[in-house]
């Protein structure tokens, strides 16, 4: 399993996307405000995603 790095764009939880802001031992902190429909989702700006639960779409 490849671990995301800061600045990578990842996809998780059935299509949500975000930019990795911090990499922790077991998870990443992701900013999801890059999504066009962010305001429609009624979610917080940042979320935590376990390394096992995402795929890297674009890396630096």
């Amino acid at each position: 399993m490849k671990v995301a790095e800061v600045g990578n764009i990842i996809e998780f939880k059935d299509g949500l996307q975000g930019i990795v802001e911090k990499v922790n031992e077991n998870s990443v902190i992701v900013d999801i405000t890059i999504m066009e429909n962010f305001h429609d989702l009624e979610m917080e700006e940042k979320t935590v995603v376990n390394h096992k639960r995402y795929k890297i779409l674009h890396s630096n």
Side-chain angles (χ1 to χ4, degrees):
M1 167 185 59
K2 184 168 192 242
V3 174
E5 299 175 357
V6 173
N8 288 168
I9 297 175
I10 63 169
E11 182 177 60
F12 58 99
K13 207 185 258 184
D14 296 328
L16 295 178
Q17 295 181 8
I19 298 177
V20 176
E21 290 196 339
K22 183 175 182 189
V23 179
N24 299 318
E25 185 176 337
N26 295 312
S27 61
V28 290
I29 298 176
V30 182
D31 180 350
I32 60 172
T33 60
I34 66 163
M35 295 187 349
E36 290 181 16
N37 64 339
F38 168 72
H39 295 292
D40 299 334
L41 297 174
E42 298 181 6
M43 294 179 64
E44 295 290 324
E45 293 180 1
K46 296 182 175 142
T47 189
V48 178
V49 183
N50 187 290
H51 289 309
K52 298 175 186 175
R53 308 246 182 249
Y54 64 77
K55 70 176 183 179
I56 300 170
L57 296 179
H58 179 61
S59 58
N60 294 342

